[in-house]
Amino acid sequence: MENYCVIVNQSRDEKLAITARVERFLTEQGRNFVTIIAEADMEEKMLEGVPPEAECAIVLGGDGTLIRVANVLRERNIPILGINTGTLGYLTGAEAAETEWGLTQLCQGNYRLEKRMMLSVEVNGKPMDTVLNDVVINRNGISRLLNVAVYVNDSLLDIYSGDGVIVSTPTGSTGYNLSAGGAIVQPEAELIMITPICPHSLTSRGIIVSAADTITIEVRQGKRSQEEEAIATLDGRRVRQLSPSDRITVKRSEHVTNLIRMDERTFFETLRTKLGLVERSF
């Protein structure tokens, strides 16, 4: 690849020191590139700055930045290399200290691509957005239970009463889904996870369905109903207020995110490292 786009979350590289290292390396290698500072809520401007000839996006930031870029570039279908300048960096392909090594592997073609499925989201039949991680429907009020009916292929699965429900991809399984007690899933698997948030029932459990299934979530009117009963949050960034009887439809998107991986570490090795799991001896 000869043409790159460097997308930077400046809050994670305030003095642009790591950005300068990336730019210097690409210049020394004779590669073409443009640098874009990713500003909050400026997705259209970011997309306009990506040249049509760009073959790869190099993202400097954490998981949140990478997810945001994946959504912006979903129509372009170009691979993304994340360099972790944030905290966890679970989705990134190299750490900040490995910048030159990672870029060397990239330029030499020593990498592999991980295809991550995405989900498309509709509200009342109208397209809203595409997500890489998850769709979260949670309550819009203090000390108020939210009732949502969850359907799979128009068949009622359950009516969850609690703080809400998460619909996530395998990539999103290590995000909010994990905090809510959901399972960790191998990221290249093809499935959809439905996880209730603090359900007010001992029998309400999460479920994993096929990637071919369509999930519909209907907001039910509560005992002390209000005009805006719930909030839909997409990949932790786009928010929409929901009223009783609103229906959110989630299904597999035609788009995928191609993440660049630089080494042969398995998913389980990465999991142990990022989540601080240790090997016990008995």
Side-chain angles (χ1 to χ4, degrees):
M1 293 185 287
E2 298 292 328
N3 302 294
Y4 298 85
C5 179
V6 182
I7 302 177
V8 184
N9 180 347
Q10 192 169 358
S11 68
R12 298 295 188 179
D13 187 21
E14 292 183 1
K15 297 182 179 180
L16 299 179
I18 300 173
T19 304
R21 288 165 58 187
V22 173
E23 293 176 332
R24 182 167 57 251
F25 182 93
L26 293 176
T27 299
E28 291 172 352
Q29 296 296 314
R31 307 302 166 102
N32 305 311
F33 67 91
V34 297
T35 300
I36 300 172
I37 303 299
E39 301 177 31
D41 301 322
M42 295 293 286
E43 278 83 0
E44 289 186 10
K45 183 179 179 181
M46 186 195 305
L47 182 58
E48 290 172 359
V50 179
E53 65 272 15
E55 301 169 88
C56 175
I58 301 171
V59 180
L60 276 62
D63 288 340
T65 307
L66 193 149
I67 289 169
R68 184 171 157 221
V69 172
N71 277 281
V72 171
L73 297 181
R74 63 182 182 271
E75 300 282 350
R76 296 290 300 273
N77 197 34
I78 61 177
I80 300 172
L81 169 63
I83 297 178
N84 182 31
T85 60
T87 50
L88 185 60
Y90 189 79
L91 302 177
T92 54
E95 298 297 320
E98 303 173 318
T99 297
E100 286 76 13
W101 169 81
L103 293 174
T104 298
Q105 300 304 307
L106 178 64
C107 290
Q108 293 179 352
N110 297 326
Y111 61 85
R112 57 190 170 87
L113 289 180
E114 285 186 357
K115 290 188 177 295
R116 304 291 186 91
M117 66 174 286
M118 304 180 79
L119 299 174
S120 65
V121 185
E122 296 180 354
V123 178
N124 298 327
K126 296 181 180 179
M128 183 177 175
D129 211 339
T130 302
V131 299
L132 173 60
N133 242 26
D134 54 34
V135 182
V136 179
I137 312 298
N138 54 9
R139 56 193 175 93
N140 184 31
I142 301 174
S143 301
R144 184 188 300 273
L145 290 177
L146 175 65
N147 297 303
V148 292
V150 179
Y151 299 84
V152 178
N153 301 328
D154 296 324
S155 179
L156 180 64
L157 167 66
D158 200 350
I159 298 176
Y160 293 123
S161 179
D163 285 357
V165 66
I166 305 166
V167 180
S168 71
T169 64
T171 297
S173 72
T174 51
Y176 194 5
N177 168 76
L178 180 60
S179 299
I184 298 175
V185 176
Q186 204 279 344
E188 292 182 276
E190 297 186 348
L191 51 86
I192 302 173
M193 309 179 68
I194 305 169
T195 306
I197 307 170
C198 299
H200 202 249
S201 169
L202 295 176
T203 59
S204 292
R205 294 290 184 268
I207 188 169
I208 297 174
V209 300
S210 163
D213 291 328
T214 298
I215 295 94
T216 303
I217 302 168
E218 181 183 62
V219 178
R220 294 290 181 93
Q221 187 166 338
K223 292 182 179 179
R224 293 184 297 160
S225 189
Q226 53 187 3
E227 183 178 353
E228 294 174 344
E229 195 79 12
I231 300 172
T233 306
L234 280 61
D235 273 350
R237 58 184 181 85
R238 188 167 180 185
V239 176
R240 173 165 175 157
Q241 301 287 344
L242 300 172
S243 301
S245 77
D246 279 346
R247 294 172 67 90
I248 302 90
T249 303
V250 184
K251 58 185 177 182
R252 182 177 189 165
S253 171
E254 61 181 8
H255 302 294
V256 298
T257 295
N258 293 298
L259 295 184
I260 292 175
R261 293 302 188 196
M262 317 308 303
D263 54 43
E264 295 303 319
R265 281 178 292 189
T266 68
F267 163 68
F268 303 103
E269 290 172 318
T270 302
L271 187 68
R272 287 199 304 271
T273 301
K274 295 296 184 179
L275 297 185
L277 303 178
V278 295
E279 187 173 334
R280 297 178 177 85
S281 47
F282 297 93

